[in-house]
Amino acid sequence: MIALVLPVFNESGGIREFLLELDNNLSDLNPYFVVVDDCSTDQTGEILDNLKLTNFPIHLIRNSNNSGHGFSIIQGLSYAVSQGFTSIVTCDGDGQFLGSDIRKLVLAHNSSGLMVEGVRVGRNDPWFRTFISSITRLLVWSTTFEMPKDANTPLRAMSLAETKFFLQHIDEDCKIPNLAISALSRARKKKICEVNVQSIPPRRLPGAQDQWKQKSEILPSKRLIYFSISSMLSWLKIVKTIASSVMK
């Protein structure tokens, strides 16, 4: 079986549709969904509870406090590892990917045995998000001398052994686990398969805001600026980990 780890926060507009689409596309691969609800304040929790009542293959984790995207991913991965899933996929719960693309990524992992990263194409991000994405690629390159196509992608398929390794080297409170995995995997000089996947708009209700509370496409929100600055502490820990153990 394969575990799909999805952190969610206020995704009532599309989470049910997205999960059903994923299940339909992966039905022959026995998917199991580990969904981590980061204290949603909308109807997300109720939708997930109702879906579970239909015998949908899902395990729900609810954070006791709103702890952020990074913490939620680590919690989901830890559960998947504890259950011994041989293949583990990480994917954001906002539905920005097509189920068919995620199937393509999983099949590439199964056939190659490699960690597979989804490289987002067709993105329509404001300039500051594009700038941040470029910086993340340069950060990984400056540490590992390898340039990922999408350093902070939330979509990956990896083995149980790889996931265990990442959890051993990433702090539970790491704000940027996706970037940490990108750097740690390249520091180990492991071959990585990169697969293009279409990026589509989040499946949210009209007018719903994302976690960054972004109101303008001209300037980043204060929340995004604060997160970017505070994430540098997590990045410095990742660099220290790579220098002290991974690359020895």
Side-chain angles (χ1 to χ4, degrees):
M1 291 179 67
I2 182 170
L4 290 92
V5 175
L6 298 92
V8 298
F9 176 71
N10 288 357
E11 300 294 350
S12 62
I15 187 60
R16 186 177 189 277
E17 171 199 347
F18 187 40
L19 290 173
L20 291 175
E21 180 181 329
L22 291 176
D23 186 53
N24 180 60
N25 277 272
L26 299 169
S27 59
D28 59 323
L29 301 174
N30 294 319
Y32 190 79
F33 300 90
V34 180
V35 181
V36 185
D37 185 1
D38 193 24
C39 292
S40 294
T41 57
D42 63 359
Q43 300 302 309
T44 297
E46 181 180 345
I47 291 170
L48 294 172
D49 285 336
N50 289 336
L51 195 58
K52 187 174 183 178
L53 290 175
T54 67
N55 292 320
F56 189 80
I58 186 173
H59 175 75
L60 301 178
I61 299 173
R62 289 192 165 92
N63 295 338
S64 56
N65 299 293
N66 181 252
S67 303
H69 181 269
F71 180 84
S72 298
I73 291 176
I74 296 298
Q75 296 308 301
L77 290 177
S78 297
Y79 176 81
V81 165
S82 73
Q83 299 303 302
F85 286 96
T86 55
S87 296
I88 299 170
V89 175
T90 58
C91 177
D92 280 354
D94 56 7
Q96 291 197 64
F97 299 108
L98 299 171
S100 56
D101 274 348
I102 295 179
R103 177 180 177 81
K104 179 173 65 174
L105 180 124
V106 172
L107 292 179
H109 168 68
N110 288 348
S111 63
S112 68
L114 301 174
M115 185 175 80
V116 181
E117 294 181 339
V119 179
R120 293 167 288 181
V121 298
R123 299 175 71 181
N124 188 28
D125 294 333
W127 70 268
F128 49 85
R129 293 293 294 270
T130 300
F131 175 74
I132 292 173
S133 294
S134 298
I135 292 298
T136 60
R137 295 180 68 222
L138 289 172
L139 287 173
V140 174
W141 175 84
S142 69
T143 306
T144 68
F145 302 107
E146 292 190 18
M147 181 72 79
K149 293 181 180 179
D150 191 348
N152 199 39
T153 178
L155 181 59
R156 284 187 176 85
M158 48 198 172
S159 68
L160 174 62
E162 287 171 326
T163 308
K164 285 182 176 179
F165 172 83
F166 296 136
L167 289 176
Q168 289 170 355
H169 290 85
I170 300 175
D171 292 340
E172 186 178 61
D173 61 351
C174 178
K175 294 181 178 296
I176 46 175
N178 291 327
L179 188 60
I181 292 173
S182 184
L184 288 167
S185 57
R186 286 169 172 81
R188 299 173 74 198
K189 304 303 178 184
K190 296 287 187 177
K191 187 175 181 181
I192 300 168
C193 178
E194 294 176 304
V195 175
N196 287 348
V197 292
Q198 185 67 35
S199 178
I200 63 175
R203 310 184 195 203
R204 295 194 178 103
L205 295 172
Q209 287 187 330
D210 63 12
Q211 61 180 320
W212 308 118
K213 298 183 179 181
Q214 191 66 45
K215 298 179 180 180
S216 169
E217 293 191 2
I218 300 176
L219 295 173
S221 66
K222 292 181 180 179
R223 190 180 181 93
L224 179 57
I225 293 172
Y226 175 77
F227 174 83
S228 299
I229 295 172
S230 61
S231 293
M232 290 307 299
L233 293 176
S234 288
W235 175 252
L236 292 176
K237 288 184 179 180
I238 296 165
V239 172
K240 184 177 179 180
T241 297
I242 290 174
S244 63
S245 59
V246 177
M247 296 188 72
K248 285 186 176 180

